[in-house]
């Protein structure tokens, strides 16, 4: 049963991850502009950013798969390239796009992957049973990869990343493209791992994911940290109070005269919508309610508001270096 | 910060080798059918058909002459195909290398494992031909124990060259360049079907720098019961291709995969 799973493994010895002034550019275009982060042992840290902000490059840099122009990655205070195998022996990686081995079944994938870590087949066999249960794939053990749904593949990728009991789990957009059921199961499992003491670093552009999972959130853009705090504190700091969305039914910009400007703490125009922020917007609401052409949406500020305020609203095209 | 500095494969290469072996075992029957069927067809068609008119070549029955030649060219074809198409599929289509690079394995381990696997496949295909040709009495087993390491070395050199092309390929179509400009000329001009001294001098000189020539010059005597003259030079050439190909392929794979 999901949620009642008991950790079969002893709590792991957590690891501290530190990124110091990482710099990297592709063809003169900077992707990491001196990114520094500190992630405490056992912490769940979410890296938020629009496409091309440098999230995936950061994950690759931690694994030593990207030659950096500057800076260093440290595990427990020691540079990764001084650890045997680049420290990857105690990192688990869940990549953005599934790269399960299509030549094998579910259980063969785990068995073969265990060998890359030098694990004996006896150890792999035992962990495999536990891990398949952990990600609710016991029934699918003998199925070929092609027969799995997207959510099952992602769960298997997570199980695969745990085969060597990593102390640090790196997840690059772990729930992108999954249905809500699959997403919630994965979140549940990531919280289980965090309770066990695994240090988690995940990248996402699902703000909800970051809000639900992360102890701390770092918002990055152009490879630099724009803000960093707990989700609640970020909202508190950047969006004081409530949000009012004002839209006109005819699609014209609402309040063209700018009456609202003296009434609110901050405001923003995004296409046909006027976003108003302030500790108390009741007077503004009353003012606009008199206009039959105007639709109002009053809501709590979310991490998404913070994200959009900090990274802007222009579209980002997918970039794959 | 440098990423991945190791130049030589470690134990991880064996993990990749065993991965490839497990996949091969799943498709054992069709794979072995190809290994045994193709040489049988060649030996029947060329050994009997053409051999009827040729009679003897270099004082060997044509069937015997061609059996050792086809053994050598089959190592080339098998190791090359595995190093091009199969390795490219693993690297690019299946993203197997990306998954492996998340583990402590490095590119040197992946490359080492692929080289070993290509050479093993070359050895399997050569053994299949040797078995089939022995049925025609066209192989002497006297120096077979010396031929086997030579077959393995030849497999390594053809694989190392192929993996250089794989490391820079953007699609399967790219491999046609190497086939048309490398593999097919070697198949036709390196002594598989006739001795290279019958070629005009400039062509013979080109043939002498190609690895298949040296594989043939080693394997034809060894598989017909004689010890090859100038074995040291031929081994050096094959070893040189394997070594230089490995170093170049490692640099090219690093440039491609560590970005």
């Amino acid at each position: 049963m999901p949620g009642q799973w008991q950790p079969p493994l002893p709590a792991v010895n957590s690891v501290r991850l530190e990124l110091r002034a990482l710099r990297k550019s592709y063809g003169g275009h900077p992707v990491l502009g001196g990114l520094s982060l500190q992630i405490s042992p056992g912490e769940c840290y979410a890296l938020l950013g629009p496409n091309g902000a440098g999230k995936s490059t950061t994950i690759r840099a931690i694994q030593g798969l990207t030659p950096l122009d500057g800076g260093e990655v440290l595990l427990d205070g020691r540079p990764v390239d001084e650890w045997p195998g680049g420290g990857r022996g105690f990192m688990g990686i869940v990549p953005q796009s599934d790269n399960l081995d299509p030549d094998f079944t579910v259980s063969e994938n785990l068995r073969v992957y265990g060998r890359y870590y030098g694990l004996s087949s006896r150890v792999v066999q035992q962990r495999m049973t536990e891990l398949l249960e952990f990600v609710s794939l016991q029934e699918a053990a003998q199925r070929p990869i092609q027969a799995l749904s997207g959510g099952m593949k992602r769960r298997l990728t997570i199980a695969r990343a745990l085969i060597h009991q990593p102390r640090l789990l790196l997840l690059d957009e772990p729930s992108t493209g999954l249905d809500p059921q699959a997403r919630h199961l994965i979140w549940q499992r990531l919280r289980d791992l965090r309770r066990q003491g695994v240090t988690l670093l995940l990248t996402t552009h699902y703000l909800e994911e970051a809000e639900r999972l992360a102890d701390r959130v770092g918002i990055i853009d152009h490879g630099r940290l724009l803000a960093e705090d707990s989700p609640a504190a970020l909202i508190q700091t950047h969006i004081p109070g409530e949000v009012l969305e004002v839209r006109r039914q005819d699609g014209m910009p609402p309040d063209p005269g700018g009456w609202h400007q003296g009434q609110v703490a901050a405001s923003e125009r995004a296409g046909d919508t006027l976003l108003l922020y302030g500790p108390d917007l009741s007077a503004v609401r009353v003012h606009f309610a008199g206009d039959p052409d105007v639709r109002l949406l009053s809501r709590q500020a979310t991490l998404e508001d913070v994200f959009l305020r900090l990274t802007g609203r222009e579209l980002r095209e997918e970039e794959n270096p | 910060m440098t990423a991945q500095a190791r130049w030589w494969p470690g134990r991880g290469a064996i993990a990749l080798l065993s991965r490839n072996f497990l996949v091969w075992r799943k498709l054992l029957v069709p794979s072995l059918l190809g290994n045994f069927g193709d040489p049988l067809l060649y030996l029947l068609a060329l050994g009997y058909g053409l051999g009827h008119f040729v009679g003897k070549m270099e004082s060997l029955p044509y069937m015997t002459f061609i059996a050792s030649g086809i053994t050598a060219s089959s190592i080339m074809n098998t190791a090359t195909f595995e190093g091009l198409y199969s390795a490219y599929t693993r690297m690019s289509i299946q993203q197997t290398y990306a998954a492996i690079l998340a583990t402590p394995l490095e590119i040197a381990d992946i490359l080492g494992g692929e080289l070993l696997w290509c050479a093993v496949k070359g050895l399997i295909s050569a053994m299949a031909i040797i078995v089939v040709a022995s049925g025609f009495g066209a192989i002497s087993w006297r120096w077979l124990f010396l031929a086997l390491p030579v077959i393995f070395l030849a497999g390594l050199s053809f694989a190392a060259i192929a993996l250089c092309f794989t490391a820079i390929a953007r699609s399967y179509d790219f491999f046609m360049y190497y086939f048309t400009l490398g593999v097919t000329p070697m198949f036709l001009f390196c002594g598989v079907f006739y001795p290279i001294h019958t070629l005009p001098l400039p062509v013979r000189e080109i043939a002498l720098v190609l690895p298949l020539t040296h594989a043939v010059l080693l394997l034809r005597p060894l598989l017909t019961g004689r010890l090859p003259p100038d074995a040291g030079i031929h081994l050096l050439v094959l070893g040189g291709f394997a070594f230089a190909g490995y170093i170049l392929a490692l640099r090219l794979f690093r440039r491609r995969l560590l970005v």
Side-chain angles (χ1 to χ4, degrees), chain B residues 4-11 104-106 108-109 246 250 254:
Chain B
Q4 299 211 0
R6 203 146 48 72
W7 280 92
W8 297 109
R11 269 180 34 202
L105 267 67
E106 295 197 358
D109 302 312
Y246 173 84
L250 185 60
R254 277 190 187 156

Side-chain angles (χ1 to χ4, degrees), chain A residues 66 88 101 103 108 113 115, chain B residues 3 18-19 26 99 103 257 259:
Chain A
T66 288
R88 292 187 300 277
D101 204 323
D103 289 323
E108 284 168 339
Y113 214 68
R115 270 190 216 161
Chain B
S18 76
R19 177 223 168 262
K26 292 186 153 204
T103 76
L257 297 173
V259 288

Side-chain angles (χ1 to χ4, degrees), chain A residues 5 28 58 84-85 94 106 109 118 122 127 130 134 166 225 273 284:
Chain A
W5 178 84
T58 305
V94 179
V106 168
N109 257 278
R122 195 181 50 81
R127 291 203 191 140
E130 294 160 0
F134 181 59
L225 198 59
T273 304
V284 184

Side-chain angles (χ1 to χ4, degrees), chain A residues 44-48 175 183-184 187 191 194 202-219 229-236 239 243 299-307:
Chain A
C44 178
Y45 190 102
L47 211 48
L48 282 182
S175 65
R183 200 152 66 218
H184 279 273
W187 289 347
R191 283 192 292 264
R194 193 189 156 283
L202 61 107
T203 77
T204 184
H205 45 219
Y206 286 147
L207 290 302
E208 195 195 348
E209 187 162 77
E211 254 175 320
R212 286 183 182 225
L213 288 177
D215 301 309
R216 277 193 308 152
V217 170
I219 297 180
D229 215 326
S230 71
L234 274 177
I235 297 167
Q236 190 90 53
I239 316 277
V243 184
R299 59 175 175 79
Q300 288 298 304
T302 65
L303 206 49
E304 186 152 323
D305 297 306
V306 180
F307 182 79

